Amino acid sequence: MKKIALILALVVIGYTAGAQSLNVSSAREAQNRGYLDKAKKLIDPACEHEQTRNDAKTWYYAGLIYSQIGGEADKPKSKYKNLDPDWLIKCKNAALRCKELDTDKEYAEGNNTILSFIGNEYYKKAIGSFNQQDWDQAMAYCEESVKIFNECGKKEYASESYLLAGKAAINAHNNEAILKYFKPLVRTRSKEQIVYKTLFDIYKSTGDTNEAIKVAQNYTKAAKDDYNANMMMAEAYLLKGNLEQGNAEIQKALDLTVDKPELHSSLLAAAGAVFEGVNDFVSAEARYKESLQALPNQFLANFGLGKMLYNRAVDKLTEANNVPPDDETGLYEKLNDESKNFFRQSIPYFNSAIGYIDNLDTEGQNMNRANLYHCLNALNTVYARLEMYDDLKPIKARIEALQKEAGQ
């Protein structure tokens, strides 16, 4: 009796194993015919059974079936729309398990296609979270997307996920995360300006000049025809005190825009701001005025020059206020007069910037409301300091009107 029982047991085991193997084939057939509910019911047990759970074929078909379930989930009228809410996790696990077991690479090509699909789905989820301003969730989905794209050898697709994650990190004011996501893009020679500009500003703000220069150098290598790269390289040289190389890079940028007058003048104004940032006020003023000579009716150079003179006036005023009360050298009066002189010089530039905004159409004026407010506030201080009260009254009236509009 024992022998018979043993034979019967073997028969049952053999039948079960065969049934599970048949389930895999039947699941694939059902999937081919569009019966996803049936395919799911057949493949799930095969993924669990000891006779088929270590077979790459089982997991390949599981990934294939769940990827198609995922495709149906995006179709509002599909009868399989809600077949499995966890399809993405199951699909990912299946594809990764297939890759692990597929030592002969028999299913590699098809499985990589599934993995690429999964990576894209996580990227889509990241976009959704980004649009909802859920920055942390957007970064988490991007990280998952990067992992999957790397698994299937699609590292070029991972770049988009890194970029989106970095933008989410910018919105979250998370510098550590920005470095984490943007540094790989520098290594792969991304041409995205935001990547280099953000990293450059972070390193510059923390005083890490060497890293800032490396970022600028990588930008010029990745985007040789992008004048923004040359402007960043110029700023990097100026941070190091290398005026000659800084000017050379600025000239390269200007040469790239010589046939575009408006852009050329804007770049000259930007060059002025770069020199101002390293306290080279003589070069800054020269570039601002060169910009105005090329295009007198503009905002950037007028505001830039007005702002620079205003800030220099404030610096002189601060120095004057720091002079000891018992000082008899006349230093206070000297610094105070210099401050007033800078304030006085700023007036025509602020007025020109305001005039430019006032002559824009309604849409342009609305877009420049903040710029107008900055100019008016600056003039408010200038006129008060210079005791030009008749000029001060209309400025105050405009500021109050803007504040009232903002309150409404």
Side-chain angles (χ1 to χ4, degrees):
M1 292 296 293
K2 288 184 180 179
K3 288 184 179 179
I4 295 175
L6 180 59
I7 292 171
L8 287 174
L10 289 172
V11 170
V12 171
I13 291 171
Y15 175 77
T16 305
Q20 291 306 320
S21 181
L22 183 61
N23 276 353
V24 174
S25 299
S26 298
R28 172 60 172 155
E29 179 64 24
Q31 184 261 340
N32 275 336
R33 297 176 65 184
Y35 302 139
L36 295 182
D37 50 351
K38 183 178 179 181
K40 171 179 160 54
K41 288 179 181 178
L42 290 166
I43 201 64
D44 284 349
C47 291
E48 297 291 334
H49 197 276
E50 61 182 8
Q51 296 296 326
T52 47
R53 67 188 181 193
N54 293 317
D55 188 346
K57 177 181 178 181
T58 302
W59 294 102
Y60 172 65
Y61 287 154
L64 203 59
I65 290 165
Y66 276 105
S67 66
Q68 190 164 340
I69 290 173
E72 293 297 310
D74 287 336
K75 300 176 182 178
K77 296 183 179 181
S78 173
K79 66 178 180 179
Y80 297 125
K81 177 176 174 57
N82 299 311
L83 182 56
D84 194 325
D86 297 325
W87 71 266
L88 183 55
I89 294 174
K90 293 178 179 178
C91 187
K92 179 186 72 172
N93 291 339
L96 292 176
R97 182 62 173 152
C98 175
K99 182 179 179 180
E100 180 185 354
L101 294 172
D102 188 24
T103 55
D104 295 332
K105 310 297 182 185
E106 182 180 353
Y107 303 100
E109 184 177 352
N111 197 54
N112 282 337
T113 300
I114 294 171
L115 284 168
S116 183
F117 171 76
I118 296 165
N120 190 60
E121 287 299 310
Y122 275 111
Y123 179 68
K124 284 163 59 178
K125 283 181 173 291
I127 292 175
S129 295
F130 187 93
N131 290 338
Q132 293 172 3
Q133 299 185 8
D134 188 345
W135 314 125
D136 289 339
Q137 186 62 69
M139 286 186 275
Y141 281 139
C142 282
E143 286 198 16
E144 198 63 42
S145 177
V146 167
K147 289 177 187 176
I148 298 301
F149 282 135
N150 286 337
E151 285 286 349
C152 63
K154 300 289 186 181
K155 293 185 178 181
E156 65 276 16
Y157 296 165
S159 297
E160 290 298 320
S161 297
Y162 275 127
L163 181 62
L164 184 63
K167 290 177 179 179
I170 291 172
N171 288 317
H173 306 290
N174 187 337
N175 283 358
E176 184 178 349
I178 293 171
L179 295 174
K180 176 182 178 182
Y181 299 128
F182 277 176
K183 285 173 74 173
L185 293 177
V186 173
R187 288 194 293 269
T188 56
R189 293 288 189 265
S190 169
K191 289 179 169 46
E192 294 287 343
Q193 181 190 0
I194 190 173
V195 171
Y196 300 95
K197 182 70 169 66
T198 306
L199 290 177
F200 185 82
D201 288 344
I202 289 175
Y203 289 129
K204 188 174 69 170
S205 67
T206 57
D208 196 340
T209 308
N210 290 332
E211 285 300 320
I213 290 173
K214 288 179 184 177
V215 170
Q217 288 172 334
N218 277 298
Y219 192 12
T220 56
K221 291 175 183 176
K224 294 180 180 180
D225 296 327
D226 187 346
Y227 60 86
N228 291 299
N230 297 114
M231 290 298 292
M232 185 181 292
M233 196 68 244
E235 188 172 356
Y237 278 126
L238 293 173
L239 287 172
K240 278 289 191 180
N242 192 332
L243 181 61
E244 183 179 352
Q245 287 293 334
N247 266 316
E249 289 296 329
I250 287 174
Q251 192 57 51
K252 287 179 185 178
L254 292 171
D255 290 344
L256 290 170
T257 61
V258 69
D259 58 339
K260 301 173 183 176
E262 288 192 19
L263 180 57
H264 192 70
S265 65
S266 296
L267 207 54
L268 284 165
V274 169
F275 282 114
E276 182 187 351
V278 293
N279 296 327
D280 184 352
F281 300 118
V282 174
S283 297
E285 185 172 353
R287 291 299 187 177
Y288 280 133
K289 287 185 175 179
E290 193 177 347
S291 175
L292 287 172
Q293 186 176 5
L295 188 68
N297 185 29
Q298 59 160 300
F299 176 81
L300 285 177
N302 278 308
F303 178 71
L305 192 45
K307 175 179 62 66
M308 184 183 78
L309 293 165
Y310 177 94
N311 287 336
R312 295 196 71 187
V314 171
D315 289 340
K316 291 293 182 181
L317 189 59
T318 301
E319 289 181 46
N321 291 333
N322 288 333
V323 174
D326 57 352
D327 180 84
E328 297 180 357
T329 64
L331 180 58
Y332 174 83
E333 289 77 11
K334 176 179 178 295
L335 292 170
N336 194 50
D337 287 344
E338 289 178 355
S339 173
K340 287 182 178 180
N341 187 44
F342 280 127
F343 275 135
R344 194 173 291 109
Q345 289 179 56
S346 73
I347 292 173
Y349 299 110
F350 282 129
N351 276 324
S352 293
I354 291 170
Y356 173 80
I357 295 173
D358 287 344
N359 286 320
L360 294 173
D361 58 21
T362 302
E363 183 181 357
Q365 289 181 14
N366 289 334
M367 290 176 62
N368 282 275
R369 196 169 295 274
N371 289 331
L372 176 62
Y373 191 74
H374 290 319
C375 291
L376 291 171
N377 263 325
L379 279 180
N380 183 66
T381 300
V382 170
Y383 288 144
R385 283 287 172 185
L386 297 177
E387 299 180 355
M388 299 171 64
Y389 299 117
D390 288 341
D391 296 289
L392 180 61
K393 289 178 183 178
I395 297 298
K396 279 188 173 294
R398 291 198 68 174
I399 291 173
E400 289 172 1
L402 283 175
Q403 291 173 335
K404 186 176 180 180
E405 288 178 19
Q408 290 176 347

